[in-house]
Amino acid sequence: MQTLLAGTGWLLLGCGKHAAPPPPAAHLEPVAPMASAVRPSPPRVTTRDRVTLDGSFHAPSARDDRGDTPRVFAKAIRAWIQSRPTPSSDRLGYLRAGSSSPATGPAGTEGCAGGWYGVEPEGFVCVGPTATLDAREPAVVLSQLGSAEVGRKLPYIYGTVRNPGPVYTRLPTGTELHEAEPDLAERMPAWLSAPGEIGASYAQDVWLGAPGTLPDPSEAWASHQSDPIPELLRRGAGARLTETGNASDSELVLGKMKPKVGYSLLSTFLFEGRRYGLASDLSVIPTDRLRPIRGSEFHGVEIGTAVKLPFAFVRRDGARFMRFEKKKNQLEDAGPAPYRAAIALTGKRKFFRGRLHDETADGLYLSDQDASRIDPARRMPAWGKNGERWLDVNLSKQTLVAYDGERPIFATLVSSGEAGLDDADTTTATKRGIFRIHTKHLSSTMSSDEVGEEYELRDVPYVQYFEKGYALHGAYWHDRFGTPKSHGCINLSPDDARRLFFFTEPALPDGWHGVLAPRTGTVVFIHP
């Protein structure tokens, strides 16, 4: 379901039949250039293949930071990019606070008092509530403390609410903490000593967002240790992000967290012994109230290099290899089959006790109840014959195969709608058919307010909408890929979502956070 979270400006997008798609782009008609908007046509620089299917990250060339090169900076959750310098023109995509683009202009002021500025590789942004030419504005400065990083499997630092507490507009002082969290003196020692996932010994290195050594939380708390802190976080700057600009909050406490909400953080800081995260909307979150999220380590395999066809993914935890004993004319247990491993097959298949089994390259057998066999497409569709990239999603097998024309080049396990092969119009099943990806977000917040199905997940990574509210996207909150689990979307492991996001069209231009291109994106073929 699409809704606006009260007081935040966050546009929330859900999955499935009740979810509305992102704001659509209209058909892009060719437009004669306006005299005031004439500028050289730069090559279309995009992030396609910035991350390749083997997971490698290919860094962009150095940004032009010369003083005489103006840039337009986003200072809101979305600074829309229009096809022409007018608010009534088609939307091509958007920038997000923390990103910027070389700018030319101004190219007119129709509906935009601050002027329309051209951005690369195309389109125009209105300088005003959502964008600025001033790199020193608080929202710009704070957002650049940790913008999306596509060189890692998750673009932000993530945590889910474990123990709800206040959300702050800035870093609170000791006196302010006593008023806002009067139980903190008792609660912090309990958290520091708690075992397992509920305590300070669990995955605290996640808060670094990069390799490094995290100070011991107990020692930091006892010594009131602080990191170098940007002054804007100490005094507050009224820079919290909304869809339409910045919110000016005079109160210290913005609100209270809701249980199990997933937060995305740009960066974290120690302040007076406690670690806080700067959320992607520029609010401040105590990390001791969150469960750190590592995200699944699973990812798919390249076909032709890592594995060759046919092969099978072991999709059931606890699956076993079987050995056929000819003398006894029966199958015997041959040991565990590694969960989600890619197992080479001979291509031979046999029925044992009414269940189909595939022979492995080692002469053992795997039940098709435990493993998903990957074969090339039986009939090549027209878009494959035409040389297009496309995605083949098999709901029965819970697999996705990426094709470059007629050649299968990557395969992985997915989690589709938890209702399996039921009717997508009345259940949480995934919609079947032939679609094209029409909208992509580097990250987007998703939620549902359906009774019994409530959730809110900030900055779901690598979202690719292909039909109304249905999308392919990364899932940082579970690790059940190979099993139906979603509300209708196709869940991918974070690294698989990242790889496929940069494989498909429309390609995201450098600096953009979202791109819209109806009817021209990569084909997604979803079938039983």
Side-chain angles (χ1 to χ4, degrees), residues 14-54:
C15 277
K17 63 184 184 299
H18 297 299
H27 179 56
L28 304 183
E29 298 289 351
V31 178
M34 299 173 61
S36 60
V38 173
R39 61 191 177 102
S41 297
R44 186 175 177 84
V45 180
T46 73
T47 57
R48 175 165 164 163
D49 298 319
R50 180 61 46 78
V51 176
T52 47
L53 289 176
D54 64 1

Side-chain angles (χ1 to χ4, degrees), residues 395-412:
L395 298 179
S396 298
K397 295 182 178 182
Q398 292 291 286
T399 59
L400 178 152
V401 179
Y403 282 78
D404 190 351
E406 300 186 58
R407 186 167 61 95
I409 58 175
F410 182 81
T412 192

